[in-house]
Amino acid sequence: MADCAAAETPTGGEEAERTAVDVSIVMPVYNASCWLDECLQAILHQDFTGSMELSVYDDASTDDSRAVVERWRERLEARGISVVICGHNAAHPKGVGYAKNKAISQSCGQYLCFQDADDVMLPQRVRLQYEASVLHPDSLIGCGVRRIPEGSTERYTRWINTITQDQLTTQVYTSHGPTVVMPTWFCSRSWFQRVGPFDEGGKGVPEDLLFFYQSLRRGGGVARVDHCLLVYRYHEKAATHSVLEETIWNLRVDFLQERVLSQWESFTIWNAGKQGRKLYRCLNPANQKKVKAFCDVDENKIQKGFYTYEESKCLVQCRLFIFHYRSPEEHEERPKPKIPVLHYKEASSPFIICVKLDMTGGVLEENLKSLQLREGADYFHFN
């Protein structure tokens, strides 16, 4: 199979002549030499009986990652797994989104199994996710994971493995990100082509979250194989650490406004504290007007009676100069909105919940249950 060295795509017309396979394992690589042996050994041991290929794109690694993959070529091909290796040798990597797109474009599988070079797939992964994807060709298919080192990101890992099938759709606005995490994704090529490609903005761009949202916009489904099929490694060099929390926050707010708040005439923000107030401040003016109340369990917040949105003087003046051409004095005469702060039992749905899940010893969950509310209709979790 093609090895394009420093070129951008396989050469010699081989890509067009290759016969399609059932599954392409798509693996972007950047300085992953220390993990690749374990990763590739696991690919070798897949129990899937259909045809497979491994498509690797090396994003300017400065270690011997590409050489490690080459050393595995003979064993993989002896197992019937064809291998395509490509990459570039530019001074700097072009980013995860770019590398994924290149690995996909040089592959020929009818289905795509995304694999991070630092993770390890269990023997049943390709088979079980392939079976699920055949049944749901317009969906992103995830799976259960085991996080290593043990105990790292404990709440996040529990959420990945335990949210229900319905919550895979309703909890897409939380700070955890995609409800099926990118290292577990499996989908049909036809669905990827309808949704993609990945954003190629490079470092600091959450290409997985952007793709996930776009898949939902296109009407795509979300499903999870309820077996642990991936050992999901946590380490400080992971690309996800380059994405700023504020970037994720802004994308989530925009998606919430687009998909939920645009459909509601009014709503309550559950949390009169820092996170609830921040959400209010980040809403567009039309959705700010829809906020009928904040609610909380904290008597100190409730006794204040209301929340008044105070913009900073600098922000006010900037907005006046750019948009309104009014003086600060004219603006100061305009009444500031006063939003009531209520006990949650006195508030009315629908709610946007700005309290973190799994952080109150079950109190939040019990309070929601006591009101007999339906997630995805009467409330959505945001934090």
Side-chain angles (χ1 to χ4, degrees):
M1 280 298 138
D3 181 351
C4 60
E8 286 291 343
T9 55
T11 58
E14 295 180 44
E15 182 181 13
E17 297 173 5
R18 293 164 57 216
T19 302
V21 297
D22 293 322
V23 177
S24 293
I25 298 171
V26 174
M27 192 162 73
V29 171
Y30 175 68
N31 288 351
S33 176
C34 61
W35 299 299
L36 277 170
D37 283 330
E38 189 176 10
C39 175
L40 296 169
Q41 179 77 36
I43 292 173
L44 188 69
H45 288 159
Q46 289 300 294
D47 65 9
F48 180 62
T49 57
S51 54
M52 285 189 291
E53 72 172 355
L54 172 64
S55 179
V56 175
Y57 191 85
D58 178 32
D59 190 19
S61 293
T62 56
D63 65 5
D64 64 341
S65 289
R66 208 181 306 186
V68 172
V69 179
E70 272 295 348
R71 289 200 296 268
W72 279 87
R73 181 192 291 275
E74 184 176 351
R75 278 174 284 182
L76 289 164
E77 292 185 342
R79 158 68 175 78
I81 302 171
S82 55
V83 179
V84 186
I85 307 172
C86 194
H88 70 95
N89 294 324
H92 301 287
K94 297 184 179 181
V96 179
Y98 176 86
K100 286 174 184 170
N101 287 337
K102 298 301 288 187
I104 292 166
S105 68
Q106 71 190 21
S107 71
C108 61
Q110 293 180 297
Y111 291 84
L112 305 174
C113 175
F114 292 90
Q115 175 68 28
D116 285 355
D118 52 356
D119 295 333
V120 180
M121 60 171 68
L122 274 67
Q124 309 92 338
R125 182 188 174 190
V126 171
R127 173 173 57 84
L128 292 179
Q129 289 193 289
Y130 174 81
E131 291 171 356
S133 200
V134 168
L135 294 175
H136 305 283
D138 296 344
S139 295
L140 291 176
I141 309 296
C143 66
V145 303
R146 176 166 67 86
R147 198 68 151 144
I148 57 171
E150 295 289 343
S152 58
T153 65
E154 185 176 351
R155 287 179 55 247
Y156 178 52
T157 305
R158 183 161 55 246
W159 177 81
I160 291 170
N161 290 326
T162 61
I163 57 173
T164 66
Q165 177 62 44
D166 288 341
Q167 289 171 329
L168 293 176
T169 302
T170 61
Q171 293 195 8
V172 297
Y173 310 101
T174 73
S175 56
H176 285 322
T179 49
V180 288
V181 296
M182 172 66 212
T184 72
W185 283 4
F186 196 109
C187 69
S188 66
R189 179 180 294 273
S190 62
W191 185 247
F192 174 84
Q193 290 172 336
R194 183 172 174 186
V195 176
F198 289 106
D199 187 288
E200 296 185 359
K203 188 175 181 180
V205 174
E207 83 292 331
D208 55 345
L209 183 62
L210 291 170
F211 187 95
F212 183 69
Y213 283 170
Q214 187 63 9
S215 182
L216 294 173
R217 288 188 183 102
R218 298 286 189 187
V222 188
R224 185 184 66 224
V225 175
D226 285 327
H227 294 275
C228 177
L229 301 179
L230 187 77
V231 178
Y232 182 19
R233 195 184 308 272
Y234 177 85
H235 60 91
E236 293 301 327
K237 294 182 180 180
T240 187
H241 296 307
S242 70
V243 182
L244 297 176
E245 287 185 15
E246 202 65 16
T247 300
I248 300 294
W249 171 277
N250 291 332
L251 288 170
R252 290 167 52 222
V253 171
D254 288 347
F255 198 59
L256 179 73
Q257 293 190 112
E258 172 192 332
R259 303 279 289 187
V260 177
L261 303 188
S262 64
Q263 308 300 311
W264 287 353
E265 293 183 0
S266 63
F267 63 97
T268 300
I269 295 177
W270 190 308
N271 185 354
K274 181 179 179 181
Q275 293 296 299
R277 297 196 304 267
K278 180 179 178 182
L279 173 61
Y280 176 84
R281 293 194 300 271
C282 291
L283 297 176
N284 63 39
N287 285 323
Q288 284 184 348
K289 291 178 182 178
K290 295 180 181 181
V291 179
K292 55 189 172 182
F294 289 86
C295 73
D296 214 292
V297 295
D298 187 331
E299 289 297 334
N300 291 327
K301 296 186 180 76
I302 295 167
Q303 285 175 7
K304 290 181 179 179
F306 59 84
Y307 165 69
T308 302
Y309 175 29
E310 300 278 0
E311 288 184 323
S312 70
K313 186 176 181 180
C314 177
L315 180 58
V316 168
Q317 290 176 335
C318 179
R319 286 181 174 172
L320 292 172
F321 179 79
I322 296 174
F323 302 110
H324 303 297
Y325 301 99
R326 297 175 182 168
S327 69
E329 290 76 16
E330 287 178 294
H331 185 273
E332 290 301 324
E333 292 173 1
R334 298 171 63 193
K336 297 180 177 65
K338 291 185 176 181
I339 315 299
V341 179
L342 309 173
H343 190 278
Y344 79 90
K345 289 184 178 179
E346 305 301 321
S348 58
S349 63
F351 298 95
I352 298 298
I353 312 295
C354 290
V355 181
K356 288 185 178 181
L357 286 161
D358 200 15
M359 287 287 283
T360 62
V363 173
L364 169 66
E365 290 78 4
E366 284 301 315
N367 289 342
L368 285 170
K369 186 177 179 180
S370 72
L371 297 179
Q372 298 182 320
L373 301 174
R374 297 165 298 157
E375 184 172 356
D378 301 316
Y379 70 91
F380 285 90
H381 286 285
F382 184 73
N383 275 32

